[in-house]
Amino acid sequence: MSRLLGRMVVGTMPLMPRFVIKWVSRRYVAGTKISEAVAVMKKLSDEGACFTVDVLGEEITNLDEAEFFIKEYNDLIEAIIAEDIDANISIKPTAFGLLIDREKGLQNIQELLVKAKESDIFVRLDMEDHRATDDTIEVCLAMHEKGLTNIGVVLQGRLFRTLEDIRNICNKLGPAADFRICKGIYLEPDNIAHTQYRPIIDATNECLDLMLQSSSYVGIATHDIPVIKHALASLEKQKMGPTLDDPRENPPVKRRGKGPGYEFQMLLGVRGDLRRKLHKDGHRTRIYIPYGERWYEYSMRRLRENPTVAWHVAKTFLMPWKNRR
Ligand code: FDA
C-alpha cells in the first residue's frame, strides 16, 4: 500500500513547484550553506547527538566539478573545528571523480583525507549503487595502506556480497576497520541483492553480527525497529553497551568522537523520538546531516530510487504537526 502511494507521489512530484519540494525536504535537508548546517547541529547537540555531514551531490560528469566538493568539504572541516562541533564527514566517492578517472578521483579523496586527518576528523565513504562498490572499498583499503586510517566504508545488507566484503576488509584492516552498516537505499537487481523486506532485514542483521564479532567499529544506520532490536540483543550478547568498555579481545582503534565499539546512526528528520530514546538509554547516536545547493536533485533522485521514501515525505506533508526533526 505504502509502495503504491509512494509511486503515486513520485509520479506527481516533478509537476510540483520547487518551493513545495523545498518545504517538504526542509525536514531532511539542513539548508544550502555550511552556516545553516552548523546551526542545525548546534540545536541538535542539545539532544546529545553527534553528527556526520554530507555535502549534497553525487556522480559528477566532469572532473572540474570535483573542485567544488574539495573546497566545500575543506571549508566544512574548518567550520566543524572553529565551532567545536562533535562531527565527522561523509563523502560520495563519485563526487570526487572516481568513476570518471580513477587515479584523479583517488588523488582528490586523498587530498581531503589529509586535511581531515590534520584536524582528527573521520571520513565516511557513503556507498552508492553496485557500480561503485568495488572502487569504494578499494579507495578505503588504498588510503589505509598509505597510512591515512581516518576512513571507513558503508556496506549494504541487501547485497549478497556483503558478508564476504566484511571478512575481506576485516582481514586486511583488523581493528582499524570501521563500518557503517545499513540496508542499502538503491533498488538493486535480484541477481545481486535481496529485494524483499524480510530477507533484507535478516541479511542486514547477519552482517551486523559479523561486524560485532570481529574487531571492527560498527555504525548501526537504521530507523527500523526489527534491526534496532536485533542490534540491542546482539550488543548484549557481546557484552557491549553504554558505560561498558568494549570487551572484544582486539577492540577497534580509538578515534575521536566514537562510542564504545559501536554507535547508532539516523538520518536528519527521521524518527527523532527513537534516536532520543536510544540516547537516553546511554547509546551514542549520530545524525546524518545533508546540506547543499543540490537539495532538489538529491531529493528527487532519492525519491525515484526508492519510492517508499516518498510515502514518508507525503506523510510529512499531510501531517506537518509531526514535523519535528
Ligand atoms: P525502513 O525504510 O524500513 O524504515 C523504518 C521506519 O523508519 C519506517 O517505517 C518509517 O517509520 C521510518 N522512516 C524511514 N525513512 C523515513 C523517512 N525518510 N522519513 C520519515 N520516516 C522514515 N544507504 C546506502 O545505500 N548508502 C549509504 O551510504 C547510506 N547511508 C546511510 C546513513 C545513515 C545514517 C542512515 C540512517 C541510512 C543510510 N542509508 C544509506 C540508507 C539505508 O540504506 C536505508 O535505505 C534507510 O535507512 C531506510 O532503511 P531503514 O533501515 O531505516 O528502514
Short mmCIF file of all heavy atoms in Angstrom, two decimals, residues 178-201:
data_model
loop_
_atom_site.label_atom_id
_atom_site.label_comp_id
_atom_site.label_asym_id
_atom_site.label_seq_id
_atom_site.Cartn_x
_atom_site.Cartn_y
_atom_site.Cartn_z
N ASP A 178 36.35 0.13 10.18
CA ASP A 178 35.29 0.96 10.76
C ASP A 178 34.16 1.02 9.74
O ASP A 178 34.32 1.58 8.66
CB ASP A 178 35.86 2.36 11.05
CG ASP A 178 34.88 3.23 11.82
OD1 ASP A 178 33.68 3.19 11.50
OD2 ASP A 178 35.33 3.97 12.72
N PHE A 179 33.04 0.38 10.09
CA PHE A 179 31.93 0.25 9.13
C PHE A 179 30.73 1.08 9.53
O PHE A 179 30.50 1.32 10.71
CB PHE A 179 31.43 -1.19 9.09
CG PHE A 179 32.43 -2.21 8.63
CD1 PHE A 179 32.97 -3.12 9.53
CD2 PHE A 179 32.81 -2.28 7.29
CE1 PHE A 179 33.87 -4.09 9.10
CE2 PHE A 179 33.71 -3.25 6.86
CZ PHE A 179 34.24 -4.15 7.77
N ARG A 180 29.95 1.45 8.51
CA ARG A 180 28.53 1.77 8.75
C ARG A 180 27.76 0.65 8.04
O ARG A 180 28.04 0.36 6.88
CB ARG A 180 28.16 3.11 8.12
CG ARG A 180 26.66 3.42 8.23
CD ARG A 180 26.22 4.58 7.35
NE ARG A 180 26.86 5.83 7.72
CZ ARG A 180 27.05 6.83 6.86
NH1 ARG A 180 26.67 6.73 5.60
NH2 ARG A 180 27.64 7.93 7.26
N ILE A 181 26.84 0.02 8.75
CA ILE A 181 26.00 -0.98 8.09
C ILE A 181 24.59 -0.42 7.96
O ILE A 181 24.04 0.14 8.90
CB ILE A 181 26.00 -2.34 8.85
CG1 ILE A 181 25.11 -3.38 8.16
CG2 ILE A 181 25.61 -2.18 10.32
CD1 ILE A 181 25.62 -3.91 6.87
N CYS A 182 24.05 -0.53 6.74
CA CYS A 182 22.66 -0.10 6.50
C CYS A 182 22.02 -1.13 5.57
O CYS A 182 22.70 -2.03 5.08
CB CYS A 182 22.63 1.29 5.87
SG CYS A 182 23.45 1.35 4.27
N LYS A 183 20.73 -0.99 5.33
CA LYS A 183 20.07 -1.93 4.41
C LYS A 183 20.52 -1.67 2.97
O LYS A 183 20.66 -2.58 2.18
CB LYS A 183 18.56 -1.76 4.49
CG LYS A 183 17.94 -2.24 5.76
CD LYS A 183 16.44 -1.97 5.66
CE LYS A 183 15.76 -2.22 6.97
NZ LYS A 183 14.38 -1.67 6.95
N GLY A 184 20.69 -0.40 2.62
CA GLY A 184 21.01 -0.03 1.24
C GLY A 184 19.81 0.65 0.61
O GLY A 184 18.71 0.09 0.59
N ILE A 185 20.02 1.88 0.13
CA ILE A 185 18.90 2.66 -0.44
C ILE A 185 18.62 2.29 -1.90
O ILE A 185 17.51 2.42 -2.39
CB ILE A 185 19.16 4.18 -0.32
CG1 ILE A 185 18.01 5.04 -0.85
CG2 ILE A 185 20.41 4.60 -1.07
CD1 ILE A 185 17.07 5.46 0.18
N TYR A 186 19.62 1.79 -2.60
CA TYR A 186 19.48 1.57 -4.04
C TYR A 186 18.74 0.26 -4.30
O TYR A 186 19.07 -0.77 -3.70
CB TYR A 186 20.86 1.56 -4.73
CG TYR A 186 21.61 2.84 -4.45
CD1 TYR A 186 22.49 2.92 -3.37
CD2 TYR A 186 21.39 3.97 -5.21
CE1 TYR A 186 23.16 4.09 -3.08
CE2 TYR A 186 22.05 5.16 -4.92
CZ TYR A 186 22.93 5.22 -3.86
OH TYR A 186 23.57 6.39 -3.56
N LEU A 187 17.78 0.31 -5.20
CA LEU A 187 16.99 -0.89 -5.52
C LEU A 187 17.77 -1.70 -6.54
O LEU A 187 17.68 -1.48 -7.73
CB LEU A 187 15.62 -0.48 -6.05
CG LEU A 187 14.79 0.36 -5.07
CD1 LEU A 187 13.46 0.75 -5.69
CD2 LEU A 187 14.58 -0.36 -3.75
N GLU A 188 18.56 -2.64 -6.04
CA GLU A 188 19.47 -3.40 -6.90
C GLU A 188 18.75 -4.61 -7.51
O GLU A 188 17.77 -5.10 -6.95
CB GLU A 188 20.66 -3.89 -6.05
CG GLU A 188 21.45 -2.78 -5.37
CD GLU A 188 22.33 -1.98 -6.35
OE1 GLU A 188 22.18 -2.14 -7.58
OE2 GLU A 188 23.16 -1.19 -5.86
N PRO A 189 19.27 -5.14 -8.65
CA PRO A 189 18.63 -6.30 -9.28
C PRO A 189 18.71 -7.57 -8.43
O PRO A 189 19.61 -7.70 -7.60
CB PRO A 189 19.43 -6.47 -10.59
CG PRO A 189 20.66 -5.65 -10.44
CD PRO A 189 20.41 -4.61 -9.40
N ASP A 190 17.74 -8.48 -8.68
CA ASP A 190 17.64 -9.65 -7.78
C ASP A 190 18.73 -10.70 -7.97
O ASP A 190 18.79 -11.67 -7.23
CB ASP A 190 16.25 -10.27 -7.84
CG ASP A 190 15.92 -10.81 -9.23
OD1 ASP A 190 16.81 -10.78 -10.11
OD2 ASP A 190 14.77 -11.25 -9.43
N ASN A 191 19.59 -10.53 -8.97
CA ASN A 191 20.71 -11.49 -9.09
C ASN A 191 21.90 -11.09 -8.21
O ASN A 191 22.82 -11.87 -8.03
CB ASN A 191 21.16 -11.64 -10.56
CG ASN A 191 21.63 -10.33 -11.15
OD1 ASN A 191 21.14 -9.27 -10.77
ND2 ASN A 191 22.57 -10.38 -12.06
N ILE A 192 21.86 -9.89 -7.64
CA ILE A 192 22.97 -9.49 -6.75
C ILE A 192 22.50 -9.05 -5.36
O ILE A 192 23.31 -8.80 -4.48
CB ILE A 192 23.83 -8.35 -7.37
CG1 ILE A 192 22.98 -7.09 -7.62
CG2 ILE A 192 24.53 -8.80 -8.64
CD1 ILE A 192 23.84 -5.85 -7.84
N ALA A 193 21.18 -8.97 -5.18
CA ALA A 193 20.70 -8.41 -3.91
C ALA A 193 19.35 -8.98 -3.51
O ALA A 193 18.57 -9.42 -4.34
CB ALA A 193 20.58 -6.89 -4.05
N HIS A 194 19.11 -8.97 -2.19
CA HIS A 194 17.76 -9.27 -1.70
C HIS A 194 16.86 -8.11 -2.10
O HIS A 194 17.29 -6.95 -2.10
CB HIS A 194 17.76 -9.40 -0.18
CG HIS A 194 18.64 -10.51 0.31
ND1 HIS A 194 18.29 -11.83 0.21
CD2 HIS A 194 19.86 -10.48 0.91
CE1 HIS A 194 19.26 -12.58 0.72
NE2 HIS A 194 20.23 -11.78 1.15
N THR A 195 15.61 -8.45 -2.41
CA THR A 195 14.71 -7.38 -2.85
C THR A 195 13.45 -7.29 -1.98
O THR A 195 12.65 -6.39 -2.17
CB THR A 195 14.29 -7.60 -4.33
OG1 THR A 195 13.74 -8.90 -4.42
CG2 THR A 195 15.46 -7.48 -5.28
N GLN A 196 13.29 -8.23 -1.06
CA GLN A 196 12.10 -8.22 -0.22
C GLN A 196 12.45 -7.78 1.20
O GLN A 196 13.57 -8.00 1.68
CB GLN A 196 11.46 -9.62 -0.16
CG GLN A 196 11.04 -10.16 -1.52
CD GLN A 196 9.95 -9.30 -2.17
OE1 GLN A 196 8.98 -8.93 -1.50
NE2 GLN A 196 10.12 -8.98 -3.43
N TYR A 197 11.46 -7.18 1.87
CA TYR A 197 11.68 -6.58 3.19
C TYR A 197 12.34 -7.54 4.19
O TYR A 197 13.39 -7.25 4.75
CB TYR A 197 10.33 -6.08 3.73
CG TYR A 197 10.39 -5.49 5.13
CD1 TYR A 197 11.02 -4.27 5.36
CD2 TYR A 197 9.82 -6.17 6.21
CE1 TYR A 197 11.07 -3.74 6.65
CE2 TYR A 197 9.87 -5.63 7.49
CZ TYR A 197 10.49 -4.42 7.70
OH TYR A 197 10.56 -3.90 8.96
N ARG A 198 11.72 -8.71 4.42
CA ARG A 198 12.24 -9.60 5.49
C ARG A 198 13.65 -10.12 5.18
O ARG A 198 14.54 -10.04 6.03
CB ARG A 198 11.24 -10.75 5.70
CG ARG A 198 11.46 -11.53 6.98
CD ARG A 198 11.23 -10.69 8.23
NE ARG A 198 12.38 -10.75 9.13
CZ ARG A 198 12.42 -10.19 10.33
NH1 ARG A 198 11.42 -9.49 10.79
NH2 ARG A 198 13.50 -10.28 11.07
N PRO A 199 13.89 -10.64 3.95
CA PRO A 199 15.27 -11.08 3.65
C PRO A 199 16.29 -9.95 3.78
O PRO A 199 17.43 -10.20 4.21
CB PRO A 199 15.18 -11.59 2.21
CG PRO A 199 13.74 -11.98 2.03
CD PRO A 199 12.95 -11.04 2.88
N ILE A 200 15.90 -8.72 3.47
CA ILE A 200 16.85 -7.60 3.61
C ILE A 200 17.18 -7.39 5.09
O ILE A 200 18.34 -7.22 5.47
CB ILE A 200 16.28 -6.29 2.98
CG1 ILE A 200 16.20 -6.43 1.46
CG2 ILE A 200 17.15 -5.08 3.36
CD1 ILE A 200 15.50 -5.27 0.76
N ILE A 201 16.16 -7.47 5.93
CA ILE A 201 16.39 -7.31 7.37
C ILE A 201 17.30 -8.44 7.90
O ILE A 201 18.27 -8.19 8.60
CB ILE A 201 15.06 -7.34 8.15
CG1 ILE A 201 14.30 -6.07 7.85
CG2 ILE A 201 15.29 -7.49 9.65
CD1 ILE A 201 13.15 -5.83 8.76
#
